[in-house]
């Protein structure tokens, strides 16, 4: 979800105002995804690297996040949505952790769409954490080196049990992965749109999905004969 700052700057507003509009856009896109029938939607909400932003911006973002997590309870539960998070939750301020945990607990048994929030998330940090947990299991004699396969390694990641993403949409026009789901995106289709995140709506989302539908996914294989 990129482009909040640029959106605000173009309007002579503060970056924080851009983030505020970004939250509203996220809310609308969650709803749109549910209506379209997307089973899993992961929102790259705050990266590990985002902690390096000016303290005032980080604080404002955390405030908005806490507010959002409280505000969406009702509509999330009504719409049968399950919420999960990936990333280093312990980095988040205590009130944000509390709101998040409450939302995750209260929606645990929901059967509709899964909304996965990436918070204090970094792809490399996730892989290193997986390696470290794997070594711990080796030390405890729970696994042997021969058993280590890509599937087994995947089960040590935050995304354990989730399918790899089919599509990555990046708003704001930059052609970068920015340390997002590095392992999981091995065969993900990427769509970059110039639309800035606060302006991103269901119609833009659908355009990205139509673009995705035109792709021929081979996963390293060859095109099948008709
Ligand atoms: C994305 O918008 C929001 C977060 C990373 C939290 P940016 O704040 O990165 O917006 P630009 O890239 O400066 O426009
Ligand atoms: Mg940015």
């Amino acid at each position: 979800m990129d482009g909040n700052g640029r959106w605000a700057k173009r309007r002579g507003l503060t970056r924080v105002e851009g983030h505020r509009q970004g939250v509203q856009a996220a809310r609308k896109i969650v709803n749109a995804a549910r209506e379209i029938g997307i089973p899993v939607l992961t929102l790259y909400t705050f990266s590990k690297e985002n902690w390096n932003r000016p303290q005032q911006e980080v604080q404002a973002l955390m405030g908005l996040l806490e507010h959002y997590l409280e505000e969406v309870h009702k509509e999330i539960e009504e719409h049968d949505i399950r919420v999960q998070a990936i990333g280093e939750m312990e980095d988040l301020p205590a009130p944000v952790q509390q709101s998040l945990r409450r939302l995750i607990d209260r929606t645990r048994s929901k059967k509709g769409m899964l909304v996965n929030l990436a918070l204090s998330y970094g792809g490399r940090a996730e892989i290193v954490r997986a390696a470290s947990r794997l070594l711990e299991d080796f030390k405890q004699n729970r696994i042997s080196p021969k058993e280590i396969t890509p599937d087994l390694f995947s089960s040590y990641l935050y995304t354990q049990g989730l399918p790899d993403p089919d599509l990555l949409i990046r708003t704001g026009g930059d052609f970068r992965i920015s340390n997002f789901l590095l392992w999981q995106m091995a065969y993900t289709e990427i769509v970059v749109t110039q639309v800035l995140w606060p302006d991103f709506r269901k119609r833009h989302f659908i355009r990205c999905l139509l673009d995705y539908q035109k792709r021929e996914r081979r996963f390293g294989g060859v095109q099948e004969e008709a």
Side-chain angles (χ1 to χ4, degrees):
M1 301 186 282
D2 199 17
N4 295 353
R6 278 163 284 168
W7 182 93
K9 197 172 175 196
R10 280 181 202 171
R11 287 165 178 74
L13 302 169
T14 62
R15 292 182 58 82
V16 174
E17 194 48 45
H19 295 316
R20 205 183 306 279
Q21 293 305 316
V23 172
Q24 292 317 316
R27 220 170 148 162
K28 288 178 182 147
I29 289 301
V30 166
N31 232 336
R34 182 186 59 80
E35 286 165 2
I36 294 167
I38 303 290
V40 184
L41 177 72
T42 298
L43 298 170
Y44 198 7
T45 307
F46 194 84
S47 74
K48 261 190 96 60
E49 289 69 30
N50 284 152
W51 292 113
N52 299 324
R53 291 190 176 197
Q55 203 199 333
Q56 189 215 345
E57 183 175 341
V58 171
Q59 262 173 18
L61 275 166
M62 289 301 137
L64 283 172
L65 185 59
E66 188 190 338
H67 189 76
Y68 168 79
L69 292 171
E70 290 297 330
E71 205 180 51
V72 293
H73 256 278
K74 207 162 159 261
E75 66 190 73
I76 290 271
E77 290 198 68
E78 273 170 12
H79 288 145
D80 205 30
I81 294 171
R82 186 157 59 100
V83 177
Q84 250 181 243
I86 55 171
E88 279 151 51
M89 293 312 114
E90 60 280 11
D91 292 350
L92 299 167
V96 177
Q97 286 190 42
Q98 266 165 28
S99 307
L100 185 62
R101 213 153 282 144
R102 212 174 310 138
L103 193 56
I104 293 172
D105 285 344
R106 296 242 305 250
T107 62
R108 201 174 291 283
S109 57
K110 297 289 181 186
K111 296 280 179 284
M113 177 174 71
L114 169 66
V115 171
N116 194 24
L117 299 173
L119 290 165
S120 194
Y121 175 86
R124 286 185 175 176
E126 179 186 36
I127 293 169
V128 168
R129 174 179 172 274
S132 153
R133 296 176 69 219
L134 194 74
L135 274 173
E136 206 48 59
D137 278 353
F138 172 69
K139 249 176 45 188
Q140 309 290 330
N141 278 318
R142 286 195 284 259
I143 49 163
S144 76
K146 280 205 178 70
E147 287 175 275
I148 303 171
T149 60
D151 278 347
L152 182 87
F153 193 84
S154 291
S155 73
Y156 284 84
L157 297 168
Y158 283 121
T159 49
Q160 180 219 341
L162 293 179
D164 287 341
D166 291 310
L167 169 65
L168 166 75
I169 299 173
R170 180 165 185 144
T171 60
D174 281 328
F175 288 82
R176 282 197 285 276
I177 303 290
S178 298
N179 203 16
F180 190 49
L181 299 177
L182 294 178
W183 170 280
Q184 298 86 341
M185 295 221 300
Y187 283 102
T188 297
E189 296 294 329
I190 300 177
V191 171
V192 173
T193 166
Q194 296 300 317
V195 177
L196 302 174
W197 178 254
D199 290 329
F200 194 75
R201 293 291 177 273
K202 188 179 185 181
R203 65 180 183 282
H204 304 111
F205 193 5
I206 289 173
R207 248 175 259 155
C208 295
L209 293 171
L210 291 172
D211 192 339
Y212 167 80
Q213 286 180 332
K214 283 189 250 146
R215 309 282 177 92
E216 186 207 318
R217 303 187 76 191
R218 291 187 300 275
F219 301 94
V222 291
Q223 188 186 4
E224 267 180 57
E225 291 294 329

